[in-house]
Amino acid sequence: QRQMCIRDRHTAASPVGMKVTVTAELTAVEGRILSFKVYAEDTAGAIGEGSHTRAVIRAERFMEKTNAKLAQ
């Protein structure tokens, strides 16, 4: 079971070279599942917002599973 989801709403473009700041706030913890609210802005104001949900994983197990693909 995969537990990752990203939803975003892009509300404005930023010109090349303008500083962009993204802030994530942890909004919920349900076992291994973490939920975040995400907000993005450039120096002129808001450019997007969204949510991100993901699972805490065991890195060793993850690497074993992904490296197994190399043997196929």
Side-chain angles (χ1 to χ4, degrees):
Q1 177 178 340
R2 289 173 177 77
Q3 296 289 338
M4 190 182 112
C5 178
I6 298 173
R7 293 188 179 103
D8 68 85
R9 186 168 67 98
H10 185 237
T11 57
S14 298
V16 173
M18 183 175 274
K19 181 180 177 180
V20 173
T21 302
V22 179
T23 304
E25 175 187 352
L26 180 63
T27 57
V29 178
E30 297 178 27
R32 296 185 317 115
I33 308 301
L34 308 177
S35 297
F36 299 87
K37 182 170 86 173
V38 183
Y39 175 77
E41 62 184 341
D42 60 23
T43 56
I47 60 170
E49 63 184 5
S51 62
H52 178 63
T53 303
R54 70 167 302 110
V56 175
I57 62 165
R58 290 189 300 266
E60 183 177 300
R61 183 170 177 236
F62 175 81
M63 293 305 296
E64 287 174 3
K65 291 175 94 174
T66 55
N67 287 336
K69 289 182 175 184
L70 296 172
Q72 295 177 357

